[in-house]
Amino acid sequence: MQFGPVPIAQAEGATLAHSIQSGGERISKGTVLDGAALARLAQEGVSEIIVAYPDRGDLSEDDAARRLAFPLVAPDISAGEAVTGRVNLHAERPGLVSIDAATIDALNAIDPALTIATLPDGAMVRAGQMLATVKIIPFFVSEETVERGVAALAGAAPAIRLTPFQPKRVGLVQTMVTGTAQKVLTKTAAVTAARLARAGSHIAREMRVPHDEEALVAALRRMAGDHDLLIVFGASAVCDFDDVIPAAIARAGGEIERVGMPVDPGNLLVLGHLGDKPVIGAPGCARSPKENGFDWVLERVLAGEPPSSAAIAAMGVGGLLQEIETRPRPRDANPAPVPVAAVILAAGASRRMGQHNKLLAVFDGEAAVHRVAREALGSTATEAVLVTGHEADRIGEAVDDLPVRRVHNADFSDGMAGSLRQGLEAIAEGQGALVLLGDMPHVTADHIDRMIGEFQKHGGRAVVRGSSDGQAGNPVILPPGIVSEAAHLTGDTGARHLIEASGAPTVLVEIGRAAVTDIDTPEALASAGGSFEG
């Protein structure tokens, strides 16, 4: 590449090296100069300008960045567009990123013109998060140099690899001694649920038992059958290999991988397994959401790669976390929003309304169920799923002009849980679910969008409920971890017990009387401003 000042008359076709103002407009660096731009500069008295010219065999910065990024694309890793010599690589799914440091170091040693910066090896990432950035420093670089870089990256194993998280049903056991405050245990469950939710997992069941070996053995055996991972928080810290938690794991039929780790905070972690079920004895610091050694082990377990004792031993370099408030964040680390699908429950028999179906009551010339579906479709929800049951044909006709996806619950008479289960199982994995009742005609698209906005503010991990003057009502948004538990819904209890078991925080969004206005009875219908035509 040739670089330096040249007279204006010789600059046509060259690449501008530094931005410059011309006629009230800014000509950005990297612009290929044409005759019109140069004429304007000449009229303003500019006689010389700093530019770059390619040599024979040179690639432009964007072409070079694209070529260098290509061998870094791997399963669940995508590359963005090349802009100003930069290509960013992003995770397509949440997971753990593995970096082959030797390969990246070899690339960066070839020529200062070629650079790749990555997240730390083993970092936990969200869907959409940037993993690495390829940046070409000059405007042009020789093709031969770029090909050397491509060859350095084209090894047998990917230089950057993403291991997606595997959603897991987690059993949480907390032990207690005299004086243990229940509010501490409740907070611990909520903090743990938030950690798990980042990886699409959730607490399926929690047990609180005395801090003794017998009680913990019984709890572990009871939990092991239908959970993928067990986490134990002890009322007292582990101080020996034969202490309550490791001893109970062994007596329950398990094996201990390691007691203690060279990460501070997090030293007092226990890792073992019962058959193929990992068991983590959490250090006391894991009751706080602040990063500690528990996170490093938990994230690997949730990615399906439990660390060996040797791998934990190797965590000491970089394991002093006390003075580190947060991990370094990538340049575009705005959290990717969690998509939310609307599930409209319209299967009930409307028994308290007498001979009429409340969902077909009319508000301003529009059936209630049509109104609810229309508002859902007008929101930022990804789609609307309508669950039918009683008088499915009539309900279907009422929304026939709307692009809702219908699923039918033939067992609607067994209670709401079956309809909710049908709706939640119909939406795509990894989505949150906005659960709407078909008989709440005053909920609007604006209400829904405000709730979805609050859901995104909490990283898609909180339960969000519509409220009226602080009174919780409907709709409700369920995080993906709770949605994945749909198969366990039974009876007429809705998702209440799943929410309680998950430990996820609940956030109320004020939407006025719409949150508590339904039309179950003729009196409620009249009060809400509806009627039956004819």
Side-chain angles (χ1 to χ4, degrees):
M1 183 186 79
Q2 301 175 41
F3 182 92
V6 298
I8 284 287
Q10 300 174 19
E12 187 166 358
T15 298
L16 182 64
H18 303 291
S19 299
I20 190 171
Q21 290 293 127
S22 173
E25 297 181 1
R26 181 181 178 85
I27 304 177
S28 299
K29 72 172 186 177
T31 300
V32 177
L33 297 167
D34 59 19
L38 293 171
R40 290 198 307 272
L41 291 172
Q43 289 174 0
E44 294 173 12
V46 177
S47 59
E48 189 177 72
I49 196 167
I50 298 176
V51 298
Y53 290 100
D55 282 328
R56 183 182 297 275
D58 278 356
L59 296 175
S60 71
E61 57 180 348
D62 285 351
D63 285 342
R66 274 190 287 267
R67 287 203 194 183
L68 209 56
F70 182 77
L72 297 175
V73 175
D76 300 306
I77 298 176
S78 60
E81 296 295 323
V83 179
T84 63
R86 183 185 300 277
V87 172
N88 295 329
L89 292 110
H90 295 83
E92 294 183 338
R93 298 172 61 184
L96 288 184
V97 62
S98 299
I99 308 295
D100 185 335
T103 298
I104 299 300
D105 289 348
L107 177 285
N108 285 326
I110 289 173
D111 190 293
L114 313 181
T115 72
I116 297 177
T118 76
L119 291 181
D121 181 44
M124 178 180 182
V125 297
R126 301 174 300 275
Q129 184 171 334
M130 185 161 68
L131 307 177
T133 185
V134 174
K135 175 61 176 152
I136 305 302
I137 302 302
F139 290 111
F140 302 98
V141 62
S142 76
E143 185 173 14
E144 184 272 334
T145 299
V146 174
E147 289 307 314
R148 286 168 57 203
V150 170
L153 296 174
I160 304 174
R161 179 171 59 89
L162 182 71
T163 304
F165 289 122
Q166 302 171 4
K168 297 185 184 298
R169 287 170 48 82
V170 178
L172 174 65
V173 182
Q174 300 198 67
T175 69
M176 302 177 292
V177 295
T178 301
T180 297
Q182 291 296 313
K183 65 180 181 181
V184 172
L185 304 183
T186 299
K187 179 182 177 182
T188 298
V191 169
T192 304
R195 276 191 165 97
L196 294 169
R198 294 196 296 266
S201 294
H202 64 284
I203 298 171
R205 184 181 180 187
E206 179 191 355
M207 294 182 66
R208 298 179 181 182
V209 301
H211 187 72
D212 66 63
E213 196 174 310
E214 292 288 344
L216 185 52
V217 167
L220 290 173
R221 286 174 173 166
R222 191 174 307 163
M223 287 280 206
D226 57 355
H227 295 86
D228 305 309
L229 163 65
L230 304 181
I231 298 174
V232 181
F233 278 88
S236 298
V238 173
C239 58
D240 190 85
F241 294 92
D242 293 320
D243 212 338
V244 171
I245 293 176
I249 294 172
R251 278 193 55 194
E255 296 183 15
I256 302 300
E257 180 70 30
R258 188 175 182 94
V259 177
M261 68 184 304
V263 178
D264 190 10
N267 292 144
L268 304 182
L269 178 137
V270 177
L271 178 64
H273 59 87
L274 281 171
D276 61 351
K277 309 295 176 65
V279 184
I280 304 175
C285 58
R287 297 184 188 275
S288 163
K290 189 173 180 180
E291 182 187 23
N292 61 83
F294 174 68
D295 293 289
W296 290 18
V297 172
L298 177 65
E299 290 163 6
R300 286 158 176 77
V301 170
L302 295 177
E305 298 182 349
S308 64
S309 179
I312 294 176
M315 293 177 180
V317 176
L320 182 59
L321 303 178
Q322 275 186 312
E323 303 303 322
I324 301 175
E325 303 241 342
T326 59
R327 288 186 182 179
R329 296 183 178 182
R331 290 177 59 175
D332 67 349
N334 294 323
V338 176
V340 176
V343 174
I344 304 167
L345 302 183
S350 192
R351 293 186 180 92
R352 291 199 289 166
M353 193 60 78
Q355 62 179 340
H356 296 293
N357 190 325
K358 63 182 178 180
L359 301 179
L360 301 177
V362 175
F363 292 79
D364 299 324
E366 183 179 20
V369 67
H370 187 280
R371 187 165 173 157
V372 172
R374 177 176 54 78
E375 293 292 341
L377 290 166
S379 74
T380 55
T382 57
E383 65 169 333
V385 175
L386 184 78
V387 184
T388 61
H390 177 64
E391 295 188 332
D393 291 342
R394 293 184 69 198
I395 299 300
E397 289 174 5
V399 297
D400 200 44
D401 63 321
L402 297 176
V404 295
R405 184 156 59 92
R406 296 183 222 164
V407 296
H408 181 64
N409 176 24
D411 299 320
F412 64 89
S413 60
D414 291 344
M416 180 189 296
S419 297
L420 182 56
R421 184 173 63 248
Q422 292 269 12
L424 296 182
E425 290 178 346
I427 69 175
E429 181 181 345
Q431 293 198 95
L434 170 82
V435 181
L436 284 158
L437 305 183
D439 67 340
M440 299 188 74
H442 296 327
V443 174
T444 67
D446 177 66
H447 294 152
I448 294 169
D449 284 345
R450 281 160 50 197
M451 292 179 62
I452 291 176
E454 196 66 28
F455 180 69
Q456 305 301 356
K457 285 181 185 178
H458 287 77
R461 299 188 295 272
V463 174
V464 177
R465 298 194 67 169
S467 66
S468 176
D469 294 328
Q471 177 186 351
N474 287 293
V476 59
I477 301 178
L478 304 177
I482 295 178
V483 172
S484 68
E485 280 289 282
H488 300 277
L489 287 165
T490 58
D492 201 30
T493 58
R496 179 173 55 82
H497 72 282
L498 295 184
I499 293 172
E500 292 172 353
S502 75
T506 297
V507 178
L508 300 183
V509 174
E510 179 65 36
I511 63 172
R513 295 297 300 169
V516 293
T517 299
D518 58 26
I519 50 173
D520 280 345
T521 65
E523 295 76 18
L525 174 63
S527 178
S531 64
F532 289 102
E533 292 184 338

